[in-house]
Amino acid sequence: MERPVSEREIGEANSLLYSRPGVWAAWNLTHTASIHNHTYQDQDFLSYAWRFLKTAGGQDTLASQNLAHFLSGTGISKTLSLNQLFQQDGGVTKEFNVKVGAQIYRTEMAYKAFKRKDDISLEGFLKSDLRRYADNPHNSPTDFKKDYGPSPGPYDGHVEVDQKAFSNQNWKNATGGLSILWTYLGSSGTGAYKQHRVSAFCLKRYKWHPQEWRNTKLVHIAAENAKVPSVDTFTRSAAMDASSMGARTGVVMPKSGEIKLGSETIGHWKDEGLTRQTIYNPAKEFLLIFPPVERIIPVFVPTSKVVVIG
């Protein structure tokens, strides 16, 4: 089966022009031995990246867990907490509050400028017309549907949180950029003390982007190629077999076993005489599901002129 990313593209990404120190140098280390095939080398590189995503003390993080889950190939969705994301990442919280507040502010300004003849209340106008004043999405409708499906449910606005907005590296590595959808629930207070209540939810497809230039491009390439693994067959010589621990001690060695990253099983191996086969699971994308949570949004205070989209 043909690998999604060709050797030519890999060579370009691994050139001196784009190569980076540290974890990215592992590609050169894991892809120099000719005794194993490309899949084995890709997986060796991804295992190195998985260890890089763990804490300094070797503990799993959400980022390392998500990579391992992707490589397990089960495709089972994972449920995460938006409240936890907001609590742990001030950058995401600020981005969400500002963009939601700005959209509500634009709608309020439109209500004052173009008040309808039926004398609808401001609250009624917000609940019926907020969607008209949403930001234009960065992602194409096709990409949006890939992440959210044909119908994510009713919503009034979306906040596209780019990776540069994250202040928590673990969350950034775990999810990448997010499009958080929200619906308006109501407001309370007046003037500077006004607050808005919204319900926020998010779906994100965990996937990799091997065609985009970034410092982690080689990891993205290896992860994409992990979707179509091939069986690695390694034949030991009789001398190598005789020098093994089992041969020296008389211990009966297992003939097969699982390959694990943390709590996830990403493949298995089996020995047949002097031949070992390493079989990796085809990696599979999966959904990260953030169920709806209620959030309080402070009133938006414009620092520059806000354009009303009518």
Side-chain angles (χ1 to χ4, degrees):
M1 191 178 299
E2 187 175 347
R3 303 166 85 203
V5 186
S6 69
E7 287 301 306
R8 178 186 61 78
E9 293 172 289
I10 293 171
E12 290 175 355
N14 198 37
S15 68
L16 291 176
L17 181 62
Y18 295 106
S19 61
R20 296 291 185 273
V23 65
W24 324 130
W27 185 274
N28 295 318
L29 297 176
T30 58
H31 288 66
T32 52
S34 60
I35 58 175
H36 291 296
N37 69 7
H38 288 308
T39 291
Y40 189 97
Q41 294 167 344
D42 288 345
Q43 291 282 351
D44 201 17
F45 183 48
L46 289 168
S47 294
Y48 190 96
W50 172 76
R51 292 191 294 272
F52 179 81
L53 291 173
K54 295 160 74 77
T55 67
Q59 298 298 309
D60 262 326
T61 63
L62 181 59
S64 66
Q65 290 170 348
N66 283 351
L67 173 57
H69 189 63
F70 168 77
L71 295 174
S72 75
T74 65
I76 297 173
S77 300
K78 293 184 68 174
T79 300
L80 304 178
S81 168
L82 268 180
N83 277 336
Q84 187 176 35
L85 169 60
F86 287 130
Q87 290 165 4
Q88 296 177 356
D89 196 307
V92 173
T93 302
K94 179 180 178 181
E95 189 82 353
F96 184 75
N97 287 350
V98 169
K99 289 190 174 180
V100 173
Q103 183 179 335
I104 294 174
Y105 178 82
R106 288 197 298 270
T107 311
E108 291 176 332
M109 294 302 99
Y111 173 79
K112 293 176 181 179
F114 315 114
K115 189 172 181 181
R116 297 191 337 198
K117 293 180 180 179
D118 54 6
D119 290 327
I120 187 173
S121 68
L122 172 59
E123 195 75 0
F125 187 75
L126 286 171
K127 289 183 177 178
S128 64
D129 282 52
L130 263 168
R131 185 74 176 271
R132 291 175 55 194
Y133 303 95
D135 294 322
N136 292 325
H138 300 327
N139 298 325
S140 70
T142 301
D143 288 338
F144 205 70
K145 286 183 178 180
K146 284 180 182 177
D147 281 354
Y148 290 92
S151 178
Y155 62 95
D156 294 317
H158 62 274
V159 175
E160 295 195 32
V161 184
D162 295 329
Q163 290 192 26
K164 62 184 179 183
F166 283 76
S167 60
N168 184 309
Q169 191 66 37
N170 180 40
W171 275 103
K172 177 181 176 179
N173 290 337
T175 67
L178 294 173
S179 291
I180 304 175
L181 307 182
W182 60 272
T183 56
Y184 181 73
L185 299 178
S187 60
S188 60
T190 57
Y193 299 100
K194 190 173 184 179
Q195 293 181 323
H196 305 287
R197 289 187 303 110
V198 302
S199 176
F201 63 101
C202 180
L203 297 175
K204 171 64 186 282
R205 185 170 298 281
Y206 184 91
K207 58 185 178 183
W208 296 82
H209 305 275
Q211 306 306 331
E212 297 179 8
W213 280 112
R214 59 182 82 199
N215 288 350
T216 55
K217 184 175 176 68
L218 289 173
V219 180
H220 285 254
I221 289 174
E224 191 70 9
N225 283 342
K227 292 179 179 179
V228 287
S230 59
V231 177
D232 180 68
T233 302
F234 171 62
T235 302
R236 302 185 302 276
S237 67
M240 292 172 64
D241 196 54
S243 65
S244 68
M245 181 64 71
R248 292 202 309 269
T249 63
V251 175
V252 177
M253 304 299 289
K255 293 297 183 182
S256 63
E258 295 180 335
I259 305 169
K260 299 184 75 70
L261 283 185
S263 61
E264 301 279 2
T265 299
I266 65 169
H268 64 280
W269 59 269
K270 58 183 180 180
D271 271 353
E272 297 176 353
L274 297 178
T275 301
R276 170 175 287 207
Q277 285 192 321
T278 306
I279 304 99
Y280 289 98
N281 301 340
K284 190 173 182 180
E285 296 174 1
F286 60 95
L287 277 181
L288 298 171
I289 301 173
F290 296 81
V293 297
E294 189 170 318
R295 301 291 301 174
I296 299 296
I297 305 297
V299 66
F300 176 78
V301 179
T303 55
S304 60
K305 186 177 179 181
V306 175
V307 178
V308 175
I309 304 172

